[in-house]
Every structure is written in C-alpha cells, then in structure tokens.
Amino acid sequence: MIPYGKQDINQFDIDAVVEVLKSDFLTQGPKVAEFEDAVARAVDAQFAIAVNSATSALHIACLALGVKKGDLVWTSPITFVASANCALYCDAEIDFVDVEPTTGNLCAQAFKNKLEHAKLLGRLPKVVIPVHLAGHSCDMQRISELAKQYQVKIIEDASHAIGGHFQGNKIGSCHFSDITVFSFHPVKVITTAEGGMLTTQDSELAATLNLLRSHGITRELSQLTRPNEGDWYYEQHILGFNYRMSDLQAALGLSQIKRLESFVERRNQFAKYYEKVLKNLNIEFIKPLENCRSAYHLFIIRLPEDKDRKSIFNLMRQAGIGVHVHYFPVYLQPFYIKKGYFSGYCPGAENYYANCLTIPIFTQMKEKEQDFILKKLHDIIFDIN
C-alpha cells in the first residue's frame, strides 16, 4: 500500500533518540529547550513552547488568550475535530466560518459577513482559529485586518504547514496572529512521533503557555512568592496540565528540523508534477494562493461531480493506493449535531467535502509510484460509470 502520508526517518534520527536513551534525561530536559530554539529560529518567532500534541497546543492557546465560559470561538469546519474541541475544553462555545469550496480554507469574505452579523447580535468571538488545510495558508492578511477591526484574537492552526510562507512571512512567525500551533504527528512534514509546538512574539503569552503546559508550576526565582524557601521549592500559580514534550521526542524533532527545507522542497516537487499531469487530465485540485508557499502536507484533488467518490476511493485502495478524505465537516459529527448544527449550515464546506480526495504525497515517495498513482486515478475516474 502506498500511504497518503508517511514519516521520513533516517539513521541520524535514530542515533539522536538513542543518544537521549543513554543520557540522564528522558522526560522534559535540555533537548526540549534546544528543539524549541530550533523551531523558533526556523519560523522567525521569538518564542516557541513544545507540548505533547497539537491538540494540547490548541487547548492552552485558547486558555492563554483568556477563552472561558461564555466566550465564543470560531474556526473552519474543514479540519480535524481538535480545532473545534479546544474551545469546548475551555467551557466556551464554538461556531464555524464557511470555507471556499475551491481551497477548503476559511473564507475571508464569509468571515467578514459573519463578523458583521455577530456585531449586530452583540455576540462577537473572542478568538478565531483559521486552519491552513494541506499546508496552504489562508488569506491571513485579510483575516488579520478583519480580526483587528473587531478586536478578535487569532490562533493559526498550522498543524499542516510548518515550512510554509505567506507573503514572504514564515508560517509560525505570527506576523498575522497571536499564536501559531504546529503538529509533529508522523504523517506531518516533520515528526516527533507525537508532539506539538506553539509560537508567539508575545513574552507574556509565552510565559503563560509555559505555565499551562506544566501544571501551572514555576521554579523561576523572580516569580516565587517564597524565594528563600530552598532549591527544592516550586510554586503552582495557575491551574495547568501535564502537556510536556519528552526529550526523546525533542531529540527526534531536532534531527528532523535540520531537513525541514529539503522536506518541503521535495513535497513541492511532487506537487508540481501532480499539478502538471492533473491539468492535462482535466482533474481539479486545491492549490495555494499565489503569494503562498505551501508545505504540502496533503495533496487534495476535486473529483468530477458526476463521479461516485466512494467507488473511486475503494478502487484506488484495492489498487494499493492509500487515498483518504480530509475532512468531513466537523459540525456534522454526531457530537455537534446534538448541539444543534445541521446539514446546510456551511454550504461551501459541504460542497468541498462532496468531492474532495487526498492522494499520496510524502518525501520518500518514488517517481514511479507517483506515475502509478496518476495512471490508476485516470483509469478509475474515466472508466467508472
């Protein structure tokens, strides 16, 4: 089976993890701090805070921005459920901004329209979470301008997008946002096995995020109410969580991030070839904005409307090609249906979902595998009734 995504692990990665296994630190230690510094440098951020997953990162990002009971958070319906669930973890409410069917990304015009309506109702969101689907940046300039106008904070869900740029700004630099979140799950651009990262330019947010990821505890002498208690002493200042990354994970991430640029370049090469052939086959696909360099975590095509996706999906799988679908609209999940959401709530999202299909893209994919994928795709799409 050719998977839709796969980690790229080499001997240097293995050696880096083994070195930590032989060291004095297995849980959070010096490698975590080194990895944070490496990510901050890679994305032009002043601060980076490592955690055990992007889900944890989204949770504490909301908390750091003051999301609480009675508040409202907006996000895209075309995403993994964690982008929405993070608001509920804070006892806040979640709502969805429709997407552009051609990109699957949060639509800036829909955001504008929804903000105008929300202001009339006196129910503006505290935070919006645009999601960079497939590694393609949303129109962050326009989203940022609207958010500032209505005093809404921004968390970029860049789980797919490390190594990408928007208008020359690295995703993660927070040029258009308060906090950016990355995922290092194995199918992502780089991996720590499981893990996530938050970046920000705000020192106060960084300090709060550091507390939240580790039980709300600090040992910083300048922050202690009893600074003379002794070297063993620590204080809990807020209610935090055990969301820490281990040194084992960080060592893998440190080794992986050295190849970030080559990983993204390789993915872009595969994407260019896909685009060239698919255009000749008259098969549509989502693509980044002209002023965006995508990390190409995923490559998503749009099937012809008169073709049955389920049949195509099954036939591609039978041919040994691990196609997938990203994503079913979050608000149509049974959990959210119980909260009152319904079919037709975001027409653009449902239009996008109706014919999207993810085809494989990963750094170790071979050119002959890509040709095989394209041939099978063509044969199945145009032979199927």
Side-chain angles (χ1 to χ4, degrees):
M1 179 71 72
I2 303 171
Y4 81 86
K6 184 182 179 182
Q7 68 270 21
D8 186 335
I9 302 295
N10 66 14
Q11 190 60 47
F12 292 106
D13 299 329
I14 295 167
D15 292 345
V17 175
V18 171
E19 182 182 351
V20 171
L21 283 169
K22 294 177 178 179
S23 76
D24 293 332
F25 294 92
L26 296 183
T27 58
Q28 183 171 304
K31 290 296 180 185
V32 171
E34 288 179 44
F35 184 41
E36 289 171 334
D37 289 344
V39 171
R41 289 194 303 272
V43 303
D44 293 341
Q46 190 169 355
F47 304 100
I49 300 91
V51 289
N52 59 3
S53 72
T55 300
S56 300
L58 286 163
H59 181 195
I60 64 173
C62 285
L63 289 173
L65 292 174
V67 174
K68 61 186 183 306
K69 186 174 183 177
D71 287 334
L72 182 59
V73 174
W74 291 355
T75 192
S76 166
I78 300 298
T79 184
F80 185 60
V81 294
S83 306
N85 292 347
C86 58
L88 305 185
Y89 298 157
C90 304
D91 209 17
E93 295 178 33
I94 190 72
D95 200 358
F96 301 92
V97 182
D98 208 353
V99 303
E100 300 167 333
T102 55
T103 68
N105 271 340
L106 187 146
C107 175
Q109 185 60 46
F111 184 44
K112 180 177 185 292
N113 296 343
K114 197 173 180 78
L115 284 168
E116 290 172 351
H117 184 62
K119 185 175 182 180
L120 291 174
L121 297 176
R123 186 67 172 134
L124 286 164
K126 178 170 279 188
V127 171
V128 65
I129 306 175
V131 179
H132 301 322
L133 181 67
H136 309 345
S137 177
C138 299
D139 185 351
M140 289 309 301
Q141 179 175 351
R142 194 164 175 216
I143 290 169
S144 176
E145 289 168 354
L146 289 163
K148 286 177 181 176
Q149 181 181 343
Y150 289 89
Q151 298 182 312
V152 178
K153 299 292 186 181
I154 298 176
I155 300 169
E156 290 180 76
D157 186 342
S159 295
H160 296 183
I162 192 167
H165 302 172
F166 177 72
Q167 293 185 347
N169 300 290
K170 293 180 180 179
I171 295 174
S173 66
C174 298
H175 187 81
F176 297 102
S177 64
D178 298 278
I179 298 172
T180 301
V181 167
F182 294 115
S183 170
F184 303 131
H185 183 276
V187 296
K188 299 302 195 300
V189 179
I190 65 170
T191 187
T192 58
E194 281 283 6
M197 189 77 74
L198 307 100
T199 60
T200 184
Q201 303 290 8
D202 187 310
S203 60
E204 291 186 9
L205 281 177
T208 301
L209 291 166
N210 269 298
L211 282 174
L212 285 166
R213 63 118 175 239
S214 189
H215 304 283
I217 285 173
T218 183
R219 297 177 185 271
E220 291 293 328
L221 195 63
S222 62
Q223 298 175 16
L224 300 180
T225 60
R226 299 165 64 94
N228 299 319
E229 190 68 20
D231 288 346
W232 64 87
Y233 184 67
Y234 59 83
E235 290 181 350
Q236 181 185 348
H237 284 192
I238 60 174
L239 182 62
F241 306 87
N242 184 0
Y243 284 171
R244 293 170 296 186
M245 178 180 282
S246 73
D247 258 28
L248 285 170
Q249 294 166 303
L252 177 56
L254 261 173
S255 181
Q256 287 262 301
I257 203 165
K258 294 173 184 175
R259 292 186 285 157
L260 175 60
E261 184 59 31
S262 65
F263 283 168
V264 173
E265 181 58 32
R266 181 74 167 151
R267 288 172 176 272
N268 272 266
Q269 289 170 1
F270 282 127
K272 286 177 184 176
Y273 186 64
Y274 269 145
E275 291 178 4
K276 177 184 175 182
V277 177
L278 290 170
K279 284 177 181 176
N280 291 333
L281 298 177
N282 292 318
I283 297 173
E284 295 182 357
F285 48 88
I286 71 165
K287 55 191 175 203
L289 300 172
E290 289 185 4
N291 50 6
C292 166
R293 183 207 191 195
S294 178
Y296 274 107
H297 161 54
L298 302 173
F299 195 94
I300 301 172
I301 65 170
R302 305 293 305 278
L303 296 171
E305 292 181 5
D306 62 341
K307 302 296 181 180
D308 179 58
R309 177 178 55 192
K310 188 174 181 181
S311 296
I312 294 168
F313 180 96
N314 290 338
L315 288 168
M316 291 288 282
R317 285 284 182 101
Q318 289 168 21
I321 300 167
V323 292
H324 214 302
V325 174
H326 296 90
Y327 292 94
F328 183 68
V330 174
Y331 63 84
L332 292 179
Q333 293 288 350
F335 176 81
Y336 283 96
I337 291 285
K338 291 175 186 175
K339 290 184 171 294
Y341 290 100
F342 51 88
S343 294
Y345 189 76
C346 291
E350 292 176 40
N351 180 300
Y352 162 84
Y353 169 71
N355 67 350
C356 65
L357 186 72
T358 301
I359 60 176
I361 190 167
F362 54 96
T363 57
Q364 291 181 315
M365 186 166 66
K366 298 177 177 63
E367 285 80 0
K368 66 180 181 179
E369 289 177 321
Q370 191 174 23
D371 285 331
F372 173 71
I373 292 163
L374 286 162
K375 183 178 186 308
K376 281 294 180 183
L377 184 68
H378 173 266
D379 292 348
I380 289 170
I381 287 177
F382 294 104
D383 287 348
I384 198 167
N385 292 327

